[in-house]
Amino acid sequence: MKKMCLPLVLLLSFCSVCSSQVWSPKAAGLLPQNVNVFDVSTVGDQIVWAVCGAWTSNGPFASDVPYILRSTDGGETWSVKTVAGATGRYSWDIHAFDENTACITTQDLNTGPGRGIFRTTDGGNTWTETLHHTAGGVWLHFFDDAEGVCINAQYIGRTLDGGLTWTTTLIPFFQPNEGTILNTAATSLATLGNNLWFGTWNGRVFRSTDRGLNWEVNNS
């Protein structure tokens, strides 16, 4: 009998802990009604950044602007700011370095303003476009505080100084009109250590094992 009691006690204790964990809404009412969160980046357990936008299938429109949510107390309280220099673009990816410094991608979906990387060092109050290039339109990943990549279709940008400066090049093996924009989870970027994977519209998977320097591609 004693052998059966211990697992039951542990199960009841576990259920008690689970039932005491309750989600509560935060940052309610800070964003306009049509603005959604696109990506979240955390530093430790206190600093949280999120990039947001008003997604429509016909946009972005000339008046659309990326919104930034930021918390420095583990998500209890939030501030909201806009990236004024990126008006007319969406932002789908953000990387936070600390409570003051972050980078975002921007994408105009061929509506005019262009694509590129924006960077802030003052908590999102002001932003500087450090890369104006197609490569900065969709994905952003940093391997450490200095080295990172941004990817959009067959273009890749690389930085060695935390996003201050970038070099761009072509990813080989792309087919005509093959794209990578975020249609589904199948066309998203996955990372592990020095490895990068992403899928394309044509059902192909690209892979790099050396931080984007060299690539191979396979059909899914």
Side-chain angles (χ1 to χ4, degrees):
M1 183 67 179
K2 291 181 180 179
K3 291 182 179 180
M4 295 182 65
C5 288
L6 181 58
L8 179 61
V9 170
L10 291 176
L11 177 61
L12 291 174
S13 299
F14 177 75
C15 291
S16 176
V17 171
C18 289
S19 64
S20 67
Q21 296 175 346
V22 179
W23 289 88
S24 58
K26 302 294 181 181
L30 288 182
L31 295 171
Q33 188 172 4
N34 64 331
V35 171
N36 306 301
V37 175
F38 288 153
D39 190 47
V40 176
S41 180
T42 62
V43 183
D45 58 3
Q46 295 297 306
I47 301 168
V48 189
W49 293 67
V51 66
C52 321
W55 167 258
T56 63
S57 58
N58 297 320
F61 299 106
S63 59
D64 285 336
V65 61
Y67 287 80
I68 302 295
L69 284 174
R70 175 175 163 270
S71 174
T72 58
D73 56 10
E76 285 297 321
T77 60
W78 295 81
S79 61
V80 60
K81 297 178 173 66
T82 58
V83 186
T87 302
R89 310 185 200 185
Y90 292 133
S91 178
W92 285 324
D93 212 349
I94 184 169
H95 178 85
F97 296 93
D98 53 46
E99 64 180 298
N100 294 313
T101 309
C103 289
I104 64 171
T105 62
T106 61
Q107 166 71 252
D108 69 347
L109 293 182
N110 295 318
T111 59
R115 298 131 189 193
I117 302 296
F118 280 74
R119 188 175 189 270
T120 181
T121 58
D122 59 6
N125 291 311
T126 59
W127 295 80
T128 302
E129 188 174 24
T130 58
L131 172 66
H132 186 79
H133 190 276
T134 300
V138 179
W139 297 316
L140 182 64
H141 176 72
F142 278 84
F143 303 96
D144 50 45
D145 286 343
E147 186 174 356
V149 294
C150 59
I151 299 173
N152 180 22
Q154 70 268 42
Y155 298 100
I156 182 171
R158 181 172 287 101
T159 180
L160 298 175
D161 55 15
L164 286 169
T165 60
W166 297 82
T167 58
T168 59
T169 187
L170 285 171
I171 298 174
F173 312 126
F174 263 76
Q175 296 172 345
N177 300 317
E178 186 173 20
T180 58
I181 207 165
L182 298 172
N183 286 336
T184 66
T187 50
S188 294
L189 180 70
T191 65
L192 180 65
N194 294 329
N195 299 278
L196 301 167
W197 296 265
F198 64 82
T200 75
W201 297 346
N202 294 2
R204 304 199 306 156
V205 178
F206 282 73
R207 174 175 179 252
S208 172
T209 60
D210 55 8
R211 300 190 174 190
L213 292 173
N214 296 283
W215 294 88
E216 61 186 40
V217 60
N218 291 282
N219 291 320
S220 63

